[in-house]
């Protein structure tokens, strides 16, 4: 596979960041894990993606695109079936340091599972650091959040020896090691349990307000009838509710803004988007509100929505389709981004970011916000090549 960086700017603010060409098969397939993006305060655009071709395992990379320069992608590992790296995520960004996380499973048995937390420094590569929270046998950490240079906290899923989910927990102040756990004697993850759901869960989403230790999680009971929500500050439980949403809600997500958290969803047989907001300042979860009403023709693929939120606005992104009720990739004809004022939910701007000139085999997209500005990322695969696009104010 060859990588080609193109700095050509298209109409308005669309830039082709990269083209991925495959010698055989496709550059990407539908297994496209860990697709995410963030912008730091230097206007560096960070991207996490995976490359997967037919009959090959996915490989994970993090790359930094910066005006005038393209930094080489850094590999975060790959999945190899019985063992390898899983679930790549972006954890946080501060200045020019980005923290990424992967879950690692060696084929030596469940006791040899662990996580890697990598701190990447774009200004000085010799400051890059990999840390480990010890080996884990029945614990799946969500986003690892550093509290100090050598300690971290995280929401986690706990599993039985048979692989069944047991509970969701918030583990606080566990040690980060500079050496990976290479034997059965440890070190193993040791942490205080600040909060425990005392019941199994199927889905867990977690977020952190940047620059704080305020962290929230949204989770759904294994056999329950509701989505549940909890927020902590690493020292105490700030808020908890057993009935954040009915379990029947669709396309549920948790997002974070500058000062609070947002639960977004669609209702059954309804393409409209709704949300609730939780503010640590008031310690209240608001009632559900209509965020965006889908068009009556059913040509807005809102089930494929991505969303970012800051202090003033909601940035809502989704594809337009050419057939009512269909969100298949081959039906996508363009990608829209709406800017909605948070205070009164008024639609203040609509942007058609990209038009797809031919049917797609696969596509994915993301949106992030920094300093009141939205930045969007789009990947497409037309069966011959995959391309990575950026839509925003950065001039590459």
């Amino acid at each position: 596979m060859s990588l080609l960086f193109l700095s050509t700017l298209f109409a308005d603010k669309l830039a082709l960041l990269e083209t991925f060409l495959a010698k055989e098969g496709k550059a990407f397939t539908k297994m496209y894990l860990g697709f995410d993006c963030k912008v730091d305060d230097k206007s560096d655009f960070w991207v996490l993606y995976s490359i997967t071709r037919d009959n090959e395992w996915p490989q994970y990379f993090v790359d930094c695109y910066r005006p005038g320069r393209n930094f080489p992608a850094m590999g975060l590992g790959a999945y190899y079936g019985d063992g390898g790296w899983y679930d790549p995520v972006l954890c946080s960004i501060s200045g020019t340091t980005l923290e990424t996380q992967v879950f690692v499973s060696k084929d030596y048995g469940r006791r040899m599972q662990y996580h890697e937390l990598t701190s990447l420094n774009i200004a000085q590569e010799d400051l890059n650091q990999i840390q480990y929270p010890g080996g884990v046998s029945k614990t799946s950490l969500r986003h690892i959040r550093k509290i100090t240079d050598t300690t971290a906290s995280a929401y986690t899923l706990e599993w039985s020896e048979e692989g069944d989910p047991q509970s969701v927990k918030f583990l606080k102040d566990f040690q980060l090691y500079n050496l990976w756990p290479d034997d059965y004697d440890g070190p193993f993850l040791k942490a205080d349990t600040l909060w425990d759901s005392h019941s199994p869960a199927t889905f867990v989403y977690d977020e952190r307000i940047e620059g704080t230790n305020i962290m929230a999680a949204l989770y759904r009971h294994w056999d329950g009838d509701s989505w549940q929500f909890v927020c902590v500050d690493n020292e105490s439980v700030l808020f908890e509710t057993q009935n954040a949403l009915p379990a029947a809600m669709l396309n549920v997500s948790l997002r974070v803004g500058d000062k609070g958290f947002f639960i977004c969803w669609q209702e059954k047989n309804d393409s409209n988007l709704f949300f609730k907001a939780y503010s640590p300042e008031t310690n209240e979860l608001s009632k559900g509100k209509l965020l965006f009403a889908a068009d009556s023709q059913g040509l807005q693929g809102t089930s494929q929505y991505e969303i970012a939120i800051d202090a003033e606005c909601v940035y809502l992104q989704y594809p337009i389709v050419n057939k009512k009720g269909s969100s298949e990739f081959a039906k996508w004809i363009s990608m829209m981004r709406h800017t909605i004022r948070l205070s009164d939910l008024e639609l203040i701007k609509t942007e058609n970011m990209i038009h797809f000139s031919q049917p797609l085999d696969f596509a994915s997209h993301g949106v992030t916000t920094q300093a009141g500005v939205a930045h969007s990322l789009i990947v497409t695969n037309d069966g011959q090549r995959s391309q990575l696009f950026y839509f925003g104010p950065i001039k590459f």
Side-chain angles (χ1 to χ4, degrees), residues 31 33 49-52 56-61 74-88 102-106 116:
M31 185 181 291
L33 304 175
Y49 59 87
S50 67
I51 294 178
T52 307
E56 293 185 13
W57 301 116
Q59 297 174 309
Y60 313 131
F61 296 92
M74 177 177 178
L76 298 177
Y79 169 63
Y80 296 113
D82 293 333
W85 290 256
Y86 304 77
D87 303 327
V102 288
F103 172 68
V104 186
S105 178
K106 301 294 184 181
E116 289 182 355

Side-chain angles (χ1 to χ4, degrees), residues 46 62 74-77 85 89-92 97-102 115-121 127-133 144 146 176:
W46 297 83
V62 61
M74 177 177 178
L76 298 177
W85 290 256
V89 293
L90 297 182
C91 293
S92 69
T97 299
L98 182 81
E99 292 176 357
T100 67
Q101 171 191 328
V102 288
H115 294 76
E116 289 182 355
L117 180 67
T118 301
S119 298
L120 303 173
N121 192 301
L127 294 181
N128 291 349
Q129 183 182 32
I130 299 179
Q131 294 173 295
Y132 308 89
I144 299 173
K146 289 183 78 170
L176 295 174

Side-chain angles (χ1 to χ4, degrees), residues 349-374:
K349 183 165 61 174
T350 296
E351 297 164 287
N352 192 335
M353 299 185 294
I354 186 173
H355 177 76
F356 306 121
S357 58
Q358 58 188 25
L360 302 174
D361 281 14
F362 177 74
S364 189
H365 62 110
V367 59
T368 188
T369 178
Q370 195 272 335
V373 179

